[in-house]
Amino acid sequence: MTPPDLTLDVRSLPAPEPLEHCLEALADLAPGQRLHMLIDREPYPLYTLLDRDGFQHCCTFEETHFQVTIWYDAK
């Protein structure tokens, strides 16, 4: 059974705290689980780290913030 998705709200935190919190949450991500990060700005530096570590991601703008959904695709 897949654990429920996680939501991480890092809006209004100064850099580099959103990145640090995200990486901590990803270390505990279970197979099949997704992380939904809510953030004030698009986290471009994060994308390089996600690609390097084999994570997939999708970013959408939600009127007042970005939502970045991250998951691990172990093909």
Side-chain angles (χ1 to χ4, degrees):
M1 185 167 147
T2 302
D5 290 349
L6 302 175
T7 299
L8 178 65
D9 188 347
V10 294
R11 292 177 284 188
S12 78
L13 292 179
E17 289 183 40
L19 178 65
E20 292 168 347
H21 288 291
C22 181
L23 295 177
E24 289 171 7
L26 289 176
D28 296 330
L29 203 64
Q33 193 174 34
R34 292 175 182 251
L35 174 66
H36 303 283
M37 181 173 70
L38 309 177
I39 187 168
D40 296 317
R41 57 205 170 275
E42 192 164 6
Y44 292 108
L46 175 63
Y47 299 152
T48 302
L49 299 175
L50 295 175
D51 291 340
R52 177 196 72 193
D53 293 340
F55 287 96
Q56 303 293 314
H57 58 87
C58 175
C59 182
T60 57
F61 184 68
E62 307 276 329
E63 290 188 33
T64 61
H65 62 277
F66 289 91
Q67 177 174 302
V68 182
T69 302
I70 304 167
W71 67 97
Y72 184 72
D73 190 6
K75 289 183 179 179

